[in-house]
Each structure stands twice: as structure tokens, then as C-alpha cells.
Amino acid sequence: MIKRICFTLLIVVLALKAEAQNVELKYYLPEGYTYNPAIPTPESVLGFEVGEWHASYDQVLMYMRAVATASDRVTLEEIGKTYEKRQQVLLTITSPANLGKIDAIKSERKKLRNPAANVALATMPVVIYAGYSVHGNEPSAVNAALLSVYHFAAANEVAADLENVVLLLDPALNPDGVNRFASWVNSNRSYHMNGDPNNRELNEPWPRGRTNHYWFDLNRDWLPVQHPESRNRVAKVQEWTPNLHLDFHEMGTNSTFFFQPGIPSRNHPLTPKKNFELTEKIGQYHARYLDKIGSLYYSQESFDDFYFGKGSTYPDIQGSIGILFEQASSRGHLQESIYGPLTFAFTIRNQFTTTLSSFEAAKNMRVEMNTYMRDFYRDAKKEYDLDTNKAYIFGSKDDGGKTFHLADMVLQHDIDLFSLKEDITINGVEFKKEKSFIVPLNQPQYKLIKGLFETRTNFQDSLFYDVSAWTMPMAFNLDFMELSSRILNLANVEQVDKSLKLPKGKVTGEAGAYAFVFEWAEYYAPKAAYALLEKGYQVRVSHEEVILPNAKTLKRGSIFLAKGQSTVSDEVFFNDMVKAAETSGIEIFALNTGYTNGVNVGSPSMDVLTKPSIALLVDGGVASSEAGEIWHLLDQRYEMPITLLPVDRFNGADLGRYNVIVMPNGNYASLGKTGADKVKQWVRAGGTLIARGYAMSWLDQNEVAEFKFKQESEKVEVLQKNYAEFDNASGAKGTGGAIFNVKLDITHPIGYGYEKTEMFTFRSGNQFLLPSENPYANPQVYTDSPLASGYVYPYNLEQMKRSASIRVSSQGNGRVIGFVDNPNFRAFWFGTNRLFMNAIFFGQTIKSGTGR
């Protein structure tokens, strides 16, 4: 009997290995369908069968275009380009009749968001949005997209179904990552595979293919929309208002297949209960289809629907149903797992099968889904009527740049926005015209607006798959408040056009002035400073307030400009400043005298700035997402060139080329003593080192800089607890992402440009940095009441109180600036970006003896 079982298992293993190399199209396709021979198969275009090789993005695009050309059911449109200039496309698959009246269908669907409109629910098509492989190294999805397009374009039996269904198919949500990963696995594929997890093919190098060009996880960007891939996609989603969103992913190799709903207690409270019920009903279709092909699966035991910035949750706050699929990953073409050899073809088949089950569910639940969306917006209107708050207002007196960026984010989600035409003061807070906006709640996206602006500190569950808070005005460090109906109409407002642009800056004054100056409060002030340093002009920062002859007070951190050693004419100098001001949205003032009040323009309290020459450590144990955030910030927003310096090149590199080195969160053990000594010498010679997270621990352990952390652990006196509660209890102690109150010293160079000492920071993780004994070395500390929005374990909250968030350590002529919290989180945490930029520009000016 045992021999027979072993022999059977051997046959299965051999069959699976053979399947990995000799897969045929019929392996994937469902029974009972016939296919139009005029529609090209994937193999006829690509030269290999689906699952035999990983299709690169250009191959995927080639096949999509071929099908769109051959089929009267399919249209293809380019919706934008990625950072690497790859075309993003969206295929619309439906009946030829529907393709002939697409605009009418979209227009009718928009009525679902209008509670007062009469909608023909009985005849309205259901719309499915299928998004594949937002993570580039989760390739079963993008390859399943090839099969999906073929099936729905060629299967004769679906023609009648397409009269009532519109399928929007995005074959690769992350084209750059898909291409990076496909190139790796194909380059390392053997023709005779063994599935060894140690194989090079199955272990892609840093930063891996999950992310986009700047190493961002695009599945966290649906709400912030900071990247072109997301903005282009969200624009189409808002145009179509789909009923069902399919979001295809992969998970660990030693898993099976997951489909939503997720854990019930971890749904966001703003998501209606009916959403979960419909998700569960759709799940029964997935179960039946997976049963038919014999695949293992599970539901409601993992993942959640809390953070609205993911592909499976963004729809839930807009009357749609988002479905997350997680397939065990082969990571290449074949890999061993606890369930036996896992082939690439098998993973593709599961993703394609659940595309079919989703189509079946949507077809059968068409009226129910359209009715749910209509009712969602009707219920939202009822909730608005009962809400004592009628609008949100946000803005900044001094910083139009980051205010613009929040306004721009809001507009991406089909939300009406109004700008102030006059200054107003509400509850003692000033809101300036052109730098403040009002978001009325009396509009279809009521729930989404609440999701963007609300603060929340009470939760049904203490575990979160992602962040527990993302209150956007806090992320931007803006003044904001809820408005009641009584004060909503205090000011004149005008509706903002969806093509809102960053206001142009200007120069006030004429060429040939004694000097020029601008303040540091505007978000893009560092961009202007760098552009003028790049031109070779003298750029100085004032460490004291300066009062101009017209009585205007310039705050600490103001930037004074002169030609310095440059021999250009006054006109060229002036024109360069005009360009810097216009592209940065700042105002530069001309000074006709250096005899200012307070301190004079020639004061020794002003430091001459050196143009930052920056090395960002990457590779090895560095957190790629955080390195990418820094790279994106400097490259895209501030237009500052940086060197991406691999950790394995550090010890042999000439560090004299750089005056700023950035160490993102990560493990730097590979640098060893040689690297530590090299860092120490470089800092002592005058360099500015910026370290984040566990990089500080490495610096402290190697005596490069002093960063001490709290070591005490929570006292546990209970002798026995239920083993079944272990995962939940231990998981609740992690700080997955929440918003906290901190106090900033705005007289410190790290605090320049900020108006208030109170601000918000984003934290994930449980590092608790002890403040320096030198009180001048703690520019930012946590308050006595740190929690602003989100979940934090009570013990961690106590540890956080009065701990340091930023600490400075002096070493010789240089400075080491340590950040506990990530100031550049996911590219949308605009409110703390300036802290990081201040470290880059002003770290060189921090006085010796004020950091330890």
C-alpha cells in the first residue's frame, strides 16, 4: 500500500514537472465552449504557450493589440504612460452593440450616483473592472489576462452574455514591475527544471519586481494617487463606475488560494454591511469554479478591507464590490511547496478560473449589483442629512504648494472642491484665499470624503493588514476643521476645475537690486534653492528673523540670494530667479538695502549653503520602498540629482564626492567595521548623515553616533493564556501605521519653514528613541498625548510619550540626523517632507555642541 502511494505521488510530481514545460491551451479553458478561429490564440502571437515562459509587458501589449484588431467585441485604448514610458492600456470587452453606445452607457451609469435620478436598472449592463498584477512579481495574474482576453473575445457561447456585461480589462497594473520580473525569471529559466527554492530563478535581486520604477507599492496608491499609473487608472474607474473590481495577487508559495471576503471584524465602518454580504455571495461562485478544477482555497481567514487605498478596498467606499484574490506563488516556472511541486501554469489557471467565476457572478447578479450601487448613494445622502457637519475646510497660510497637492488629490476622485475667494477666520484659525479649499459633504462621494478626512481612534479589531489611519489633512500638516451648516457659507467660494495647476510664483522687484530673498515656508522652496545653487549663485540661510524696511518679518530659514562669484549680468541673474520662482510657486522679494531691522543682510548669523551632493544607500538590507520614496521625492519633486550608491560598493567608494549621505531604514551589517570607520571619518570631516529607523541602531552599535532606545519590555504576570489567541494578541502589539502628535522646535534648522510647533507625524514600528541629554539636540519629540488618529497598543503609546522623534548627534565637523518616523511615507506624507529637506540643506549649519 505504501509503495503504491509513493508510486502515485511520483507520477503526480513527474506529471506536474512535465506540465510546467508542456502545457497546452486546453489545460486552462473551461469545458463546453467553442472558440472563433479568427481570434488569435496567445501562442500564435507570442510563439509560446501561456505559462511556458513569463510574458514580458511588451509581449502582453502585442497580444492585446492583436485581439483588439481581430475582434468586434474588443476595443483597446491607451490611458497613459508609466515612469519608464510604457503604455498603459485598458481593454473594453462587450457586445458590438454596446461598443457602439459606450458614451450612453457611461452617462446612464453616472445616474447611479444621483439619488434623485430614475435609472433603468433592469436593462443597465453590469460593469466589471479586472486589474491584473499590480505587483510585478506576482505574474500569474498578468499571464491569466492573456487567457481572459482570448476567452471573452473568442468564445462563441459568451456572445449573448456580453449584451449585459461590460468587462474592463487592465492586463498589467504595474507594467514596469511586470517587465522587470519577467526579464529576471526568463533569464534564469532552465529547460529542465527541478523546483529547488534555492534556485537563482526563484530569488530575484533587490529591489525585486513587486514595485514600480521608484520602488513604490502601487496597491497602496489608489487613494493618494501620487503616481502616473494610479492617476491614469483611477480616472478610468471614475469615468466608468464599475460594479465589481477584481484585484489579482499572489502570496507565499506554501499557501493555497484565497478570495474575499476577508476577516469580518476588519472591515472599515464606512463600508456597508451589504457589501460584505454580496462579497460572500460572489465567493460561492468562486468556490464552485475552483471545486470543478480541484483547487484548494479558503476565505474569511486572512486579509482585511480597512485601508481604502488598495485595489480591493477603494471600490468598497464607492458602491462597488472589491474582490481580492491571492494565489500561492511559484515565483518562477516551478517551485517545491508543502502541497507538492507548484507550477506556473497551475497558478495562472486559478487566476483565470476566478475571472470566469466573477464574470458568472456579475452576469447573474447584474440587477442586484446595480441596485446596490444606487442604494449606496441614496443611503449616503441620508447619512449626510443626519450629519451635523456639512463640509471640511483645509489650508495653510504660508504654504500653497502642499495645499495644492491635497486639493489635487481630492479632485482625482470625482469630488467637487471649492476655493476661497477671500480670507476668513473660523474658530480663531485663519484660512487664506487661494491657499484654502472647502469640500462640501452634500455630494455623491460623501462616504469617500469622510474616509479621506475623518479621524478615528476606536476600532472593532486591533489587527490591520495595512495602516489604521490616513487622515489626509494631517498627512499634509494643514489646518483643517469640520464646518456646520451655520458657518459653511461664511465666505465667497468658486468651484475648482479638475485641471487645477500649481500656482506660478513670481519675483517682486527689479533686476539690479541689492539682494533678493524668499521664505522657506512654501513646499517647493528647496527646489528653488537647489536650482539657484546649481547656477553657482550665493545662497545663504538666516538663523534669525529679519525685518524688512516695509516692516515685513522674514522668519528663520529665509533664503538670501546674491550673484556671489558668478559673473553673469544682473538681467541673467534676475531671469534665473524668475524661472526658479515660477516653477516652484514661491515669491522672491527684491531688497534695495542690506540695512534691515533685527539683523542685517550681511549678518554673521547667516550661513552660506553648499549645494547638496547626495548619496542614497541602496541594495543589500536597505528597505527598498523607503529608498524609493527618497529617490522619488528628490528626483520628481525637487529635481535634484542623487547617486543611488549600492551598499556593496560603499567601502570602495570615494565618499569625498558627497556632502550628504542618506541611510534609509534597513540592515547595514554588511558594511562591517570597515564601513563603520569610513562613515565615522566622513562625518567628522564635515559630512551630513541622515539615518532612519534601524540605521540609527547600526550607527549607535558601531559608535558612529549616539542613538539610544528604550529597552524595557512589557511586564506579563499572567501564567497562562489561550494558545488560540496568540496571533491576534501578538499582532495587536505592532504599530502598523497611525498618526501621532509631536512638538517641533521651529527655531532649530530642522524646524525651519514650519509656522507651528504642533504637528503630525506618521509612525509604523516600535522604536522608542530616548531624547538626548542635550536639550538642543531634540528638534522633535512626542507629546504627552501622542495619538492623533489610528490604532496603537496601549503599552506602546505609553512608551512613545515624550520620546524623541528626531535627534541630532554631532561628530567632529559633521552631523548625524536621526529620524524615528518616516518623513516621506508613500509620497503622500507632504507634511513632514520639509523636515527631511531641512536635514539635507541645513544639516551643515547646525552648531557644534547642539547635537549629541
Side-chain angles (χ1 to χ4, degrees), residues 692-767:
R692 223 292 288 172
Y694 288 100
M696 288 188 289
S697 299
W698 182 83
L699 293 171
D700 183 73
Q701 292 163 7
N702 288 276
E703 300 180 341
V704 176
E706 182 178 320
F707 295 108
K708 300 299 183 185
F709 296 89
K710 295 183 180 182
Q711 300 298 323
E712 63 265 31
S713 59
E714 183 181 13
K715 292 181 173 62
V716 180
E717 298 180 357
V718 179
L719 296 179
Q720 186 182 58
K721 291 186 176 181
N722 290 335
Y723 178 79
E725 299 173 357
F726 173 77
D727 288 341
N728 286 347
S730 57
K733 297 178 182 179
T735 306
I739 304 172
F740 297 93
N741 299 304
V742 288
K743 182 179 180 182
L744 177 69
D745 178 4
I746 60 176
T747 73
H748 193 287
I750 296 299
Y752 287 170
Y754 288 92
E755 177 189 0
K756 299 178 179 178
T757 59
E758 300 82 13
M759 63 179 299
F760 303 104
T761 188
F762 179 86
R763 164 183 279 262
S764 61
N766 290 334
Q767 270 191 318

Side-chain angles (χ1 to χ4, degrees), residues 280-300:
E280 191 172 25
K281 185 173 180 179
I282 295 168
Q284 295 171 22
Y285 285 85
H286 307 320
R288 287 197 294 271
Y289 271 67
L290 292 171
D291 285 344
K292 191 178 297 184
I293 63 171
S295 290
L296 296 174
Y297 57 85
Y298 69 101
S299 184
Q300 301 192 41

Side-chain angles (χ1 to χ4, degrees), residues 47-91:
F48 58 87
E49 190 53 82
V50 174
E52 185 180 357
W53 293 84
H54 285 243
S56 63
Y57 184 69
D58 59 315
Q59 291 172 322
V60 171
L61 201 56
M62 179 172 62
Y63 181 67
M64 298 299 161
R65 293 192 185 282
V67 173
T69 300
S71 174
D72 61 356
R73 302 176 184 174
V74 182
T75 61
L76 180 148
E77 62 178 317
E78 181 183 333
I79 63 173
K81 286 186 169 65
T82 69
Y83 285 116
E84 295 179 13
K85 303 306 178 183
R86 290 187 173 86
Q87 295 176 340
Q88 287 179 266
V89 299
L90 184 70
L91 287 83

Side-chain angles (χ1 to χ4, degrees), residues 306-579:
F306 194 82
Y307 171 52
F308 288 130
K310 297 184 295 184
S312 60
T313 50
Y314 179 70
D316 292 342
I317 194 64
Q318 297 173 89
S320 302
I321 308 296
I323 305 290
L324 170 68
F325 299 106
E326 292 276 356
Q327 164 63 49
S329 181
S330 65
R331 280 291 179 259
H333 295 84
L334 177 69
Q335 185 167 178
E336 297 169 5
S337 81
I338 60 174
Y339 297 99
L342 181 60
T343 69
F344 186 36
F346 177 80
T347 68
I348 295 170
R349 184 173 66 161
N350 282 343
Q351 303 280 37
F352 172 57
T353 297
T354 47
T355 301
L356 299 180
S357 62
S358 300
F359 183 88
E360 181 78 8
K363 180 189 70 172
N364 294 341
M365 297 169 61
R366 176 178 61 85
V367 176
E368 188 174 11
M369 285 188 178
N370 282 325
T371 302
Y372 169 69
M373 181 174 284
R374 182 203 62 184
D375 291 347
F376 176 93
Y377 287 102
R378 285 185 175 180
D379 291 343
K381 178 63 168 65
K382 294 175 183 176
E383 290 181 35
Y384 164 79
D385 291 339
L386 296 174
D387 198 333
T388 56
N389 299 305
K390 300 302 180 183
Y392 289 97
I393 187 170
F394 65 89
S396 168
K397 290 194 301 182
D398 301 316
D399 191 344
K402 65 184 182 184
T403 308
F404 155 77
H405 279 291
L406 179 53
D408 178 62
M409 178 194 296
V410 169
L411 288 170
Q412 301 306 306
H413 302 294
D414 197 27
I415 295 171
D416 291 336
L417 185 69
F418 294 82
S419 63
L420 293 185
K421 296 177 65 177
E422 62 182 4
D423 298 344
I424 62 172
T425 299
I426 304 175
N427 297 334
V429 179
E430 294 181 68
F431 291 96
K432 297 289 187 180
K433 66 178 181 180
E434 299 175 354
K435 292 186 178 181
S436 301
F437 296 88
I438 290 179
V439 189
L441 285 168
N442 189 18
Q443 53 180 310
Q445 294 285 51
Y446 167 82
K447 280 180 171 286
L448 180 57
I449 296 168
K450 298 288 281 191
L452 285 165
F453 284 84
E454 71 167 5
T455 59
R456 187 179 294 273
T457 56
N458 295 314
F459 301 90
Q460 181 181 359
D461 203 314
S462 58
L463 293 181
F464 302 88
Y465 186 75
D466 200 76
V467 298
S468 63
W470 54 90
T471 310
M472 290 304 175
M474 291 182 176
F476 286 73
N477 199 42
L478 296 172
D479 291 324
F480 77 107
M481 63 180 64
E482 297 170 323
L483 302 179
S484 69
S485 57
R486 184 178 62 82
I487 60 176
L488 175 58
N489 299 315
L490 278 182
N492 292 323
V493 298
E494 61 182 355
Q495 187 164 356
V496 178
D497 188 86
K498 293 189 183 300
S499 59
L500 179 70
K501 302 294 182 185
L502 179 71
K504 279 190 174 183
K506 63 181 180 178
V507 176
T508 300
E510 304 295 333
Y514 175 81
F516 294 85
V517 63
F518 63 86
E519 294 188 278
W520 196 249
E522 275 289 349
Y523 182 80
Y524 284 107
K527 179 179 177 180
Y530 186 85
L532 295 168
L533 284 165
E534 181 78 0
K535 293 284 186 180
Y537 298 130
Q538 184 186 89
V539 179
R540 293 181 300 144
V541 59
S542 174
H543 297 294
E544 300 291 339
E545 290 186 345
V546 177
I547 304 174
L548 302 183
N550 64 1
K552 177 179 175 60
T553 299
L554 301 175
K555 298 175 182 176
R556 291 179 175 87
S558 293
I559 301 297
F560 288 79
L561 310 163
K563 283 194 288 186
Q565 302 301 313
S566 175
T567 59
V568 301
S569 67
D570 288 345
E571 184 178 1
V572 170
F573 178 45
F574 183 79
N575 288 339
D576 283 340
M577 282 193 298
V578 169
K579 182 179 179 181

